[in-house]
Structures are given as structure tokens and as C-alpha cells.
Amino acid sequence: MLITVKNTGSKVCDLPYHPELRFDEMQWAPTAQEGTRPQAVVSLAPGESGYAAAVLSAADGSGEGGTTAHRLTIAFQGRTPHSTGGASATPSLPAAGVYYDSSLTVTYWQQDIGDALGA
């Protein structure tokens, strides 16, 4: 699942680390894919977009506890890991929901959509 954010402000916006995802009332945080960590913090000029991807389940079916979510909250991190980076976002999900399981992971923020989807 592609996650896209756009800087609609008038100043540069930094996207350190990775988005923190919470589907419905989940009680755990998805692991970040370390291999996707960019060499520098992703900085978005006004009007630019940044990207991350959520891998919702394992292709081989090895994930456990699969469920369908109907709400997603995306938290942005500050300059230190897991600190608050401001307001969170609650994008719309498909009406049927989104299936995920225990293998759910997320990429770090990327400047290029291809880098996010390459995970």
C-alpha cells in the first residue's frame, strides 16, 4: 500500500524515519524495513510529495492473526525516533477495508515513489 504525503505549507517539511501506522485499535507498531533507510532525511519543499509503503501481509502466507481494518492513523515522527512530529493523518481506506497480518512492515519515507515501491 503506497502512502503519499504532500507539503501543503509554505516552508520546507522534513520527514525523518518512517510513518508510524495504526490500523483500527491495533496494539503494536509495524516494524520498519531497515534496508529502506535513506542516506539523508527526506525534505519536502512546498508542493512536493514524499512516499512510504506498507507491506500488509507476507506473500507466502506466513503472517498470523490476519484481520481487516477500516481506519488508519499515520503519525509523523520528530527529530528523535518515535517522538511526535506534529498532527497525525487519517486517510480514507477502501470501503471493504484493508487486510493485514503480523508480517505488516513499513518503509522509511522516500523522496522518490519508485524507491518506496521497490520494497
Side-chain angles (χ1 to χ4, degrees):
M1 177 176 78
L2 180 65
I3 301 166
T4 304
V5 295
K6 184 174 185 176
N7 181 356
T8 59
S10 59
K11 297 188 291 187
V12 171
C13 173
D14 290 337
L15 293 173
Y17 309 108
H18 53 84
E20 293 192 330
L21 307 181
R22 182 174 180 185
F23 286 102
D24 292 334
E25 301 300 321
M26 69 190 295
Q27 298 296 311
W28 54 280
T31 303
Q33 297 176 18
E34 282 302 317
T36 66
R37 183 188 297 256
Q39 292 191 9
V41 171
V42 172
S43 294
L44 304 178
E48 288 186 331
S49 295
Y51 309 93
V55 179
L56 301 170
S57 60
D60 64 2
S62 62
E64 299 176 352
T67 189
T68 299
H70 297 279
R71 189 178 68 236
L72 170 62
T73 302
I74 301 172
F76 300 91
Q77 297 185 60
R79 293 273 175 208
T80 56
H82 308 294
S83 66
T84 183
S88 59
T90 53
S92 297
L93 294 178
V98 172
Y99 177 85
Y100 72 93
D101 63 28
S102 64
S103 63
L104 171 65
T105 61
V106 65
T107 67
Y108 280 76
W109 289 112
Q110 304 294 325
Q111 195 86 36
D112 181 86
I113 193 170
D115 291 337
L117 293 175

